Amino acid sequence: MVEKQQTPIDNAKKHRSKMKRAFVLFVKLSFITIILLAFYTLYLDAKVVEKFEGQRWQVPVQVFGKVERYSIGSEINLNRLKENLLLTGYRRASNVTKPGEFALSKKRIIIYRRAFDFGSGVEEAEIVTLDVISKNQTQQVSQLYIDNQAADFVEIEPYLMGRIIPENKEDRVLVPLQSVPEKLLDTLLLVEDRDFYFHSGISPLGILRALYSNIKAGRTVQGGSTLTQQLVKNMYLTRDKTIWRKANEAIMSLLLEYRYSKDQLLEAYINEVYLGQHFANGIYGFGLASEFYFGENIAQLTNAQMATLIGVIKGPSYYDPWRYPERTKKRRDLVLKLMFNAEYMSKEAYLSALNTPLDIRQTRRLAQAKQKFPSYLQLVKKELSEMLSPALQESGIRVFTTFSVSEQIALEKTVDEQLNELAKKNEHDLQVAMIVTDIESGDIKALVGDKKSGYAGFNRALHAKRPIGSLIKPAIYLAALERFQKYQLGTLLDDKALSFDLNDGEIWRPKNYDGEYRGRVSIFTSLVKSLNIPTINIGMELGLENIADVIHLLGYSDDITLRPSLLLGSINMSPYQVNQFYLPIVNKGNFVQSHVVDSVISAQGETLYQHIVEQTPYFSAQASYLTDYMLIQVAQQGTAKSLTWRLKDKIVAGKTGTTNDQRDSWFVGYDAKQMVTTWLGRDDNQATNFTGSSGALTLYAHFMGHIGTVSKVNYRPTGVELVNFESKTGLALGIECPNSITYPAINEGLTLNFSCSEKVIKEKKKRSWFEKLFGT
């Protein structure tokens, strides 16, 4: 059989048939590819949206101090406000011209407040002016302006006291775009992506321009990737240099540009870019980098500092200013030249910046990471754990506290200076704990848990439970004065030898601190002089169960062993517990919860927690006034009378406490505004050789002398009047008798006596010859 020979026409048909099949295959494959690419693009789009609109970063929990809020008539302390501003990173200037500066005179303060989010969105930088007048020994706001317009109130940027870093070791300071200096943004775009506002995520022209600039300069001066591509690389992708990763980068860049505005992308880049390494923690974003390299807020960077940060972007390890200062300065100067050529600065400013050293911090270790005030932050963490789930605590929340940085530093200075003085009298290793609390609100403003500032270990303010000694006594007398039909300040108590048979067969024979007995003494003298025997007698009359109920009412939640020694403070409390215990006593009988967390704001701006001050009456105003009156006299003539010269011409109140063998020295003192709880002792529980008045009280006086004391004002509530009491019988008198003394007393149902226990003998006075002649 002869095979048919293929003609040219047959070959052509065959070729066309193959081409047609190939085309159909190509179309099918293309269609499949497009479908797959579409699905893959949708997958990438979902990935982009999920992270960009969700939790972009594992942001540290930011813990801020108290947000000071002023309105017309508000009390203000200009010196303290000045200290807070300086510690928050503001600079004092004669002429306020940029955010982060303030000017101060005797009656006015002008603050160029930096942009800040107080919880309801970012408030842009504004010039705040407060005029101040002096009234009733305090300063008050008389006029208030924001950008020269009258305002109802103003809030002052709080101190950032710490960041709690998440487990991934990424530390950040998120900054809104409004907080970033315009010059920094302009320079960033000039160096990294000058067509940012014109391209759609990828820029072929940018790549060609960068290539030309790099060839011309003989080195790399510009990158080819757009800011959007860099953002994608940092936020979504690995560092692998593969074609697949570059394809993903291009697609995701286009998706980001399609879904979000340029300003949103620029803000994300500002907070995402990697700028260095702090030991195990990465430095991400310009906000943290400003603190890391220069110890400055981003709003206060100089031209040279901005150029350094932008220069570092190209290679944070290669341009590490601590390891390679010359290399880093050369890169910075190149950026400065670009800034000058673009007319972002004058020639004088350019030359000045060129001659400026790198001006980085002396050491790489970031003080913020160390946490300057760990004792206070431990209490913040404790409260957060009680109010929020662990997941919410790790989601970039912003915590606003009641912390006062100026008072905290004054407290630490007091501990440092005063313990050195006390150490001269005592060679033993003393330890200390102090807590400062606003009486009316319960705000804990400062806290020290160790004699060493910045110590992050055992916190004695929270965890060192020690016998409280005579600090228990005001609670006992307050409980007694609530039974005013039986007890008044002039009521007499026995002060004679006592003994108690204990369950183990031993006999307890309590004594007064001086070892003396006075027979019978008034309630007033018993508390003012801190006498033990009268306190035991009145406590036993009231009943140990009733005393335990009062202790629980004052906030102590642990179990209490009922025994007579309870009446002398044989109950263990931490300074934190003592602080809460005393708040109702010093707050006119009203319970208020002490606290450090004021509010918690989520990363999305939602209020997760807001503290509301609630005052609950626990004791009558009358009994509370009488107790307060005695505690003032403790500081005037009692165990704390050294305060009359330590805080000269100031009226304060307080109670000393000393435990067996002087192991613990306590003092709780307060003025018209705040209360300070102080404990002094040794970790090995050995004797300190200090009483409450010779030890803890001296720290209180030193602190109050530094921050300023607001004298207590004598208010006498309805139902209390001055009454004479007979010293011999303790009875209230309706007539004048010899040996009587005047005390404030609750007049409801008060029985007055109109006879004296001692006869009043009035001797007739002999008349002189002048009186006999002219009469008296």
Side-chain angles (χ1 to χ4, degrees):
M1 183 175 171
V2 180
E3 198 174 302
K4 187 178 179 181
Q5 188 174 2
Q6 296 287 332
T7 66
I9 295 175
D10 292 332
N11 290 335
K13 287 180 179 181
K14 201 174 193 179
H15 179 72
R16 283 196 298 268
S17 177
K18 288 182 179 179
M19 290 295 293
K20 184 177 180 180
R21 287 196 302 270
F23 177 75
V24 171
L25 180 62
F26 173 77
V27 170
K28 289 180 179 179
L29 290 175
S30 298
F31 180 74
I32 293 172
T33 302
I34 291 171
I35 295 297
L36 291 176
L37 183 61
F39 276 108
Y40 186 67
T41 302
L42 288 174
Y43 162 74
L44 291 179
D45 183 59
K47 187 177 179 180
V48 164
V49 171
E50 181 184 13
K51 186 159 188 177
F52 202 88
E53 296 184 5
Q55 187 178 338
R56 301 178 198 170
W57 308 287
Q58 287 293 322
V59 181
V61 174
Q62 295 184 81
V63 183
F64 294 94
K66 186 175 181 62
V67 175
E68 298 292 349
R69 181 186 174 106
Y70 297 104
S71 57
I72 294 177
S74 296
E75 286 190 12
I76 186 172
N77 186 315
L78 286 180
N79 283 331
R80 196 170 300 170
L81 178 56
K82 177 194 71 174
E83 291 178 13
N84 286 344
L85 289 170
L86 291 171
L87 292 167
T88 308
Y90 281 70
R91 294 193 184 98
R92 187 170 181 175
S94 56
N95 185 28
V96 173
T97 59
K98 60 182 181 180
E101 293 183 340
F102 73 96
L104 177 66
S105 64
K106 289 184 178 180
K107 296 184 178 181
R108 169 176 286 187
I109 186 168
I110 302 173
I111 307 167
Y112 203 143
R113 195 185 66 189
R114 299 182 295 227
F116 189 79
D117 184 356
F118 292 94
S120 56
V122 177
E123 296 185 16
E124 295 187 0
E126 299 171 320
I127 297 179
V128 174
T129 304
L130 296 95
D131 289 338
V132 176
I133 59 172
S134 297
K135 189 175 182 180
N136 298 329
Q137 298 183 338
T138 62
Q139 294 176 313
Q140 294 184 1
V141 177
S142 60
Q143 298 291 333
L144 196 157
Y145 304 94
I146 297 178
D147 289 339
N148 295 322
Q149 298 293 319
D152 295 326
F153 70 92
V154 67
E155 291 176 315
I156 305 299
E157 178 187 351
Y159 175 79
L160 176 61
M161 62 175 301
R163 292 190 295 275
I164 303 172
I165 300 173
E167 292 182 358
N168 65 1
K169 303 297 184 182
E170 288 187 9
D171 192 6
R172 295 179 199 268
V173 176
L174 293 187
V175 292
L177 203 59
Q178 301 96 313
S179 300
V180 183
E182 188 175 343
K183 188 181 294 184
L184 189 150
L185 295 175
D186 290 340
T187 306
L188 173 65
L189 298 180
L190 174 69
V191 175
E192 295 295 325
D193 188 359
R194 64 180 62 186
D195 293 326
F196 176 71
Y197 280 97
F198 304 100
H199 62 63
S200 298
I202 54 177
S203 176
L205 288 177
I207 296 173
L208 293 174
R209 186 186 301 111
L211 180 62
Y212 172 76
S213 297
N214 294 338
I215 293 173
K216 183 179 177 181
R219 62 188 184 280
T220 303
V221 295
Q222 288 187 25
S225 297
T226 65
L227 281 191
T228 313
Q229 288 175 278
Q230 293 182 46
L231 179 62
V232 168
K233 188 186 342 180
N234 291 332
M235 186 176 282
Y236 298 99
L237 303 175
T238 65
R239 297 283 176 179
D240 296 337
K241 295 182 178 181
T242 63
I243 296 175
W244 182 249
R245 190 195 66 79
K246 289 297 287 184
N248 283 335
E249 179 184 302
I251 295 171
M252 296 176 88
S253 298
L254 293 171
L255 289 170
L256 276 175
E257 291 278 352
Y258 173 75
R259 284 197 169 273
Y260 305 105
S261 70
K262 288 290 188 179
D263 283 353
Q264 286 177 297
L265 298 178
L266 184 56
E267 182 177 84
Y269 181 89
I270 287 291
N271 289 291
E272 171 63 28
V273 62
Y274 173 68
L275 288 165
Q277 194 71 22
H278 177 243
F279 300 103
N281 301 334
I283 302 298
Y284 295 89
F286 281 89
L288 180 60
S290 300
E291 294 183 11
F292 178 60
Y293 288 113
F294 309 112
E296 296 284 358
N297 183 281
I298 191 172
Q300 295 167 281
L301 294 177
T302 64
N303 290 326
Q305 290 169 342
M306 291 181 198
T308 301
L309 290 185
I310 293 170
V312 164
I313 293 174
K314 185 172 180 289
S317 298
Y318 188 79
Y319 294 109
D320 184 328
W322 284 286
R323 297 176 63 190
Y324 310 112
E326 293 183 2
R327 183 187 296 171
T328 307
K329 186 176 184 300
K330 189 175 181 181
R331 175 68 179 169
R332 180 206 70 177
D333 292 348
L334 176 61
V335 176
L336 284 172
K337 184 177 181 181
L338 293 174
M339 293 171 69
F340 173 64
N341 291 339
E343 299 182 352
Y344 292 165
M345 68 174 76
S346 65
K347 185 176 182 179
E348 292 75 16
Y350 169 59
L351 294 175
S352 174
L354 280 179
N355 293 321
T356 302
L358 284 177
D359 195 29
I360 58 170
R361 296 183 305 106
Q362 290 185 353
T363 174
R364 181 185 295 272
R365 181 169 295 279
L366 188 58
Q368 189 65 52
K370 183 183 176 184
Q371 296 183 343
K372 293 182 180 179
F373 310 111
S375 292
Y376 194 98
L377 280 172
Q378 284 181 29
L379 185 52
V380 172
K381 293 176 184 177
K382 176 180 179 294
E383 289 193 11
L384 286 176
S385 66
E386 294 168 356
M387 64 180 66
L388 297 176
S389 67
L392 286 175
Q393 294 179 51
E394 297 176 357
S395 59
I397 59 175
R398 301 165 74 239
V399 181
F400 293 93
T401 70
T402 60
F403 179 76
S404 168
V405 61
S406 59
E407 294 196 35
Q408 177 70 33
I409 288 178
L411 198 65
E412 293 182 355
K413 185 177 180 181
T414 289
V415 169
D416 183 54
E417 294 179 355
Q418 203 59 31
L419 247 61
N420 286 334
E421 288 297 316
L422 293 175
K424 295 176 182 178
K425 306 174 185 177
N426 188 320
E427 296 180 0
H428 300 306
D429 189 16
L430 294 173
Q431 271 295 352
V432 65
M434 296 183 76
I435 304 175
V436 182
T437 309
D438 183 88
I439 293 171
E440 189 172 339
S441 66
D443 292 353
I444 295 179
K445 304 170 76 174
L447 183 148
V448 165
D450 188 276
K451 65 181 180 181
K452 184 179 179 181
S453 296
Y455 179 70
F458 182 67
N459 190 336
R460 291 160 189 80
L462 302 183
H463 305 302
K465 294 188 175 183
R466 307 294 282 262
I468 65 173
S470 293
L471 292 186
I472 196 78
K473 292 175 181 175
I476 296 171
Y477 287 102
L478 177 56
L481 292 170
E482 287 288 10
R483 299 159 173 79
F484 53 85
Q485 297 89 346
K486 184 176 181 180
Y487 300 106
Q488 298 278 358
L489 297 192
T491 302
L492 297 183
L493 304 171
D494 283 342
D495 184 15
K496 302 171 184 178
L498 283 174
S499 64
F500 294 89
D501 292 328
L502 304 180
N503 293 333
D504 57 5
E506 293 187 10
I507 298 177
W508 181 49
R509 293 185 176 87
K511 296 180 180 179
N512 292 321
Y513 184 77
D514 59 7
E516 297 181 2
Y517 302 101
R518 294 159 180 79
R520 301 190 78 198
V521 293
S522 67
I523 283 179
F524 175 86
T525 301
S526 299
L527 181 56
V528 171
K529 300 297 183 182
S530 197
L531 301 178
N532 292 336
I533 303 302
T535 302
I536 294 173
N537 283 321
I538 195 172
M540 296 302 291
E541 287 180 19
L542 292 170
L544 292 177
E545 288 187 0
N546 290 328
I547 297 300
D549 288 343
V550 171
I551 294 171
H552 284 312
L553 184 65
L554 288 167
Y556 182 74
S557 58
D558 296 349
D559 292 336
I560 297 175
T561 301
L562 300 181
R563 54 191 177 195
S565 60
L566 168 68
L567 302 170
L568 297 186
S570 65
I571 180 174
N572 292 346
M573 292 190 193
S574 67
Y576 177 69
Q577 289 175 310
V578 169
N579 193 69
Q580 180 61 63
F581 181 82
Y582 259 78
L583 265 180
I585 296 174
V586 307
N587 190 32
K588 305 175 186 177
N590 297 314
F591 176 87
V592 62
Q593 181 63 53
S594 64
H595 63 284
V596 293
V597 176
D598 188 60
S599 64
V600 180
I601 310 296
S602 72
Q604 292 74 36
E606 177 188 0
T607 300
L608 302 177
Y609 172 81
Q610 178 65 60
H611 181 80
I612 299 174
V613 177
E614 295 181 352
Q615 297 214 15
T616 307
Y618 274 15
F619 302 94
S620 69
Q622 293 76 23
S624 299
Y625 170 79
L626 297 183
T627 306
D628 182 69
Y629 175 82
M630 289 191 288
L631 293 178
I632 291 175
Q633 297 309 311
V634 168
Q636 293 289 318
Q637 55 179 297
T639 55
K641 64 183 177 182
S642 67
L643 290 173
T644 57
W645 58 266
R646 293 182 189 274
L647 298 174
K648 194 172 183 180
D649 300 326
K650 300 295 182 182
I651 300 175
V652 297
K655 184 68 189 79
T656 56
T658 309
T659 60
N660 291 342
D661 301 322
Q662 298 181 341
R663 289 188 175 95
D664 303 281
S665 170
W666 290 94
F667 186 70
V668 177
Y670 59 103
D671 65 358
K673 294 293 183 182
Q674 54 191 20
M675 177 181 75
V676 182
T677 300
T678 305
W679 169 82
L680 184 72
R682 292 178 56 182
D683 286 340
D684 60 7
N685 200 29
Q686 296 301 306
T688 65
N689 297 329
F690 290 110
T691 63
S693 57
S694 65
L697 178 146
T698 64
L699 281 91
Y700 166 78
H702 187 281
F703 173 73
M704 296 302 292
H706 182 79
I707 67 165
T709 306
V710 181
S711 288
K712 289 179 61 61
V713 178
N714 182 31
Y715 74 95
R716 196 185 307 159
T718 304
V720 176
E721 62 182 58
L722 294 177
V723 176
N724 288 331
F725 288 82
E726 192 172 29
S727 300
K728 184 176 181 179
T729 63
L731 297 174
L733 299 172
I735 60 173
E736 290 188 11
C737 291
N739 298 320
S740 65
I741 188 168
T742 303
Y743 294 123
I746 300 173
N747 58 21
E748 182 181 347
L750 183 65
T751 301
L752 298 178
N753 287 271
F754 291 89
S755 62
C756 302
S757 61
E758 296 181 5
K759 290 185 178 180
V760 181
I761 301 174
K762 293 185 178 180
E763 295 183 359
K764 289 187 178 180
K765 183 181 177 181
K766 292 184 178 180
R767 297 168 68 190
S768 65
W769 64 268
F770 184 84
E771 290 172 326
K772 291 178 181 178
L773 182 63
F774 296 101
T776 58

